[in-house]
């Protein structure tokens, strides 16, 4: 790897995934197909929530916000992944690399906060049903969603800013996007202090939200077990099943990558796991919420009928 002065290189080089030449076009087409489906399905959820009055509840408002977030989250990393399939080891300007680092982490920590907000919504709906409409008013929904975005974009300033201030001696990033651990391996100085600060910030941002989610679901579990019939308990649990699945996918993969940053995983392992929370989870979220949710499926039918009727009239 090229030796550089103890400063920013003009460009970094993303090494991406190693694959035989004949496999690269197939990998590119598969990645592009999943990316387009992810954008389309999340955009469909956003439009559906806005178009159907039956989904004008806090739960679906937050689902629409989550889908909006996923569109940006997947778009922060997949374009460079596509470039690595096309061009092997594409260069990325240093400023663009650090901007991508900030975007990925700000959106990721926003998703952590938003998933906690969605857990709070379910907790209030099940544990405080009589007070739920007042507690989760439109103003409260907007405030909670806005707070999640502000918290995520504010917390990400610390790891992104500290990493951008490092002097770098090498420029080949062992990843398909600019992430903390592979960038810190390129620094000319000891990054142990930076790793502790990064771990503290990311740990607080993700750990507190995860603990909050667990606490809220503990309250939900106690409330549901007190319900008089099995049918009532099953109905209450069904409203949480999709959210629990998404939480498990997102937090499970993110913790594996970022707990013990930066050297606890073998080089190259982190980029494989990163595919789960940056690529697979945004793709699966709409599927999880539509296939396991009767209200969303019913809304799809209503909107489809309305669109068909409108087309027939013309």
């Amino acid at each position: 790897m090229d030796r550089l002065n103890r400063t920013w290189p003009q460009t970094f080089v993303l090494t991406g995934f190693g694959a035989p030449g004949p496999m690269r076009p197939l990998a590119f087409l598969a990645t592009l197909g999943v990316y387009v489906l992810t954008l389309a399905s999340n955009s469909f959820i956003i439009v559906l929530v806005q178009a159907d009055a039956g989904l004008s509840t806090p739960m679906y408002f937050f689902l629409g916000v989550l889908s909006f977030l996923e569109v940006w989250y997947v778009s922060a990393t997949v374009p460079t992944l596509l470039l690595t399939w096309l061009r092997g080891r594409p260069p990325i300007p240093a400023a663009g690399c650090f901007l991508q680092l900030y975007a990925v982490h700000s959106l990721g920590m926003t998703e952590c906060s938003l998933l906690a907000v969605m857990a709070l919504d379910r907790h209030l709906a099940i544990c405080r049903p009589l007070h739920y409409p007042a507690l989760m008013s439109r103003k409260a929904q907007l405030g909670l969603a806005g707070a999640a975005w502000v918290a995520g974009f504010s917390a990400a300033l610390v790891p992104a800013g500290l990493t951008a201030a490092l002097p770098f001696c090498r420029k080949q990033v062992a990843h398909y996007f600019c992430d903390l651990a592979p960038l810190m391996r390129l620094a000319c100085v000891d990054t142990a202090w930076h790793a502790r600060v990064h771990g503290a910030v990311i740990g607080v941002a993700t750990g507190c939200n995860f603990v909050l989610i667990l606490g809220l679901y503990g309250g939900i579990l106690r409330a549901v077990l007190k319900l008089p019939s099995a049918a009532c308990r099953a109905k209450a649990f069904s409203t949480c099943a999709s959210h629990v699945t998404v939480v498990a996918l997102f937090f499970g993969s993110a913790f594996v990558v970022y707990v013990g940053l930066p050297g606890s995983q073998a080089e190259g392992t982190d980029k494989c796991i990163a595919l789960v929370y940056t690529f697979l989870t945004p793709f699966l979220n709409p599927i999880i919420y539509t296939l396991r949710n009767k209200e969303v499926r019913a809304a799809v039918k209503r909107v489809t009928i309305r669109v068909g009727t409108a087309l027939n009239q013309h």
Side-chain angles (χ1 to χ4, degrees):
M1 286 184 276
D2 297 335
R3 285 280 167 185
L4 304 171
N5 293 330
R6 296 167 66 88
T7 184
W8 274 17
Q10 290 185 343
T11 61
F12 288 101
V13 176
L14 298 171
T15 62
F17 291 97
M23 294 297 295
R24 288 186 175 275
L26 294 176
F28 172 83
L29 291 174
T31 303
L32 180 62
V34 174
Y35 178 48
V36 170
L37 285 173
T38 301
L39 295 180
S41 57
N42 279 286
S43 299
F44 178 74
I45 291 291
I46 297 169
V47 172
L48 185 66
V49 169
Q50 295 297 317
D52 189 80
L55 300 183
S56 59
T57 64
M59 181 173 73
Y60 294 109
F61 168 77
F62 292 125
L63 176 58
V65 175
L66 177 64
S67 293
F68 178 75
L69 172 65
E70 297 289 32
V71 167
W72 289 100
Y73 195 30
V74 74
S75 297
T77 58
V78 174
T80 51
L81 176 58
L82 291 170
L83 274 177
T84 62
W85 291 130
L86 274 181
R87 300 174 57 185
R89 297 189 171 193
I92 179 172
C97 185
F98 295 122
L99 180 61
Q100 184 182 49
L101 173 69
Y102 175 67
V104 170
H105 281 268
S106 58
L107 292 166
M109 285 192 269
T110 298
E111 182 156 348
C112 290
S113 299
L114 188 58
L115 289 173
V117 167
M118 294 173 78
L120 174 63
D121 172 69
R122 291 298 81 213
H123 181 272
L124 293 176
I126 293 172
C127 300
R128 304 283 298 277
L130 297 179
H131 300 94
Y132 177 65
L135 292 172
M136 199 55 74
S137 64
R138 189 66 173 180
K139 184 178 179 180
Q141 295 170 42
L142 293 171
L144 287 168
W149 283 83
V150 170
F153 277 74
S154 300
L157 286 170
V158 177
L162 287 177
T163 305
L166 288 170
F168 293 94
C169 292
R170 295 171 294 174
K171 65 178 185 179
Q172 291 195 21
V173 183
H175 214 301
Y176 62 91
F177 68 91
C178 293
D179 202 5
L180 278 176
L183 279 173
M184 289 171 65
R185 295 188 191 109
L186 310 182
C188 304
V189 296
D190 182 17
T191 58
W193 178 81
H194 297 77
R196 287 194 292 272
V197 174
H198 296 162
V201 172
I202 296 172
V204 168
T206 58
C208 287
N209 282 309
F210 186 65
V211 170
L212 176 60
I213 290 170
L214 290 179
L216 290 169
Y217 271 106
I220 289 172
L221 181 62
R222 288 194 297 272
V224 170
L225 291 177
K226 293 178 182 178
L227 293 175
S229 67
C232 291
R233 291 192 291 271
K235 184 177 180 181
F237 277 131
S238 69
T239 66
C240 304
S242 299
H243 181 256
V244 170
T245 305
V246 171
V247 166
L249 274 173
F250 183 82
F251 279 95
S253 56
F255 278 154
V256 170
V257 171
Y258 292 110
V259 172
L261 179 78
S264 59
Q265 282 92 39
E267 186 170 335
T269 304
D270 49 0
K271 64 184 176 185
C272 296
I273 302 171
L275 282 171
V276 176
Y277 62 88
T278 63
F279 190 40
L280 185 62
T281 301
F283 171 68
L284 290 177
N285 280 357
I287 299 173
I288 293 169
Y289 276 101
T290 53
L291 292 182
R292 302 188 65 174
N293 192 303
K294 294 180 180 178
E295 290 178 334
V296 172
R297 295 200 302 271
V300 171
K301 292 179 181 178
R302 288 194 296 268
V303 171
T304 302
I305 292 170
R306 281 164 49 193
V307 171
T309 302
L311 291 175
N312 289 332
Q313 289 176 349
H314 287 81

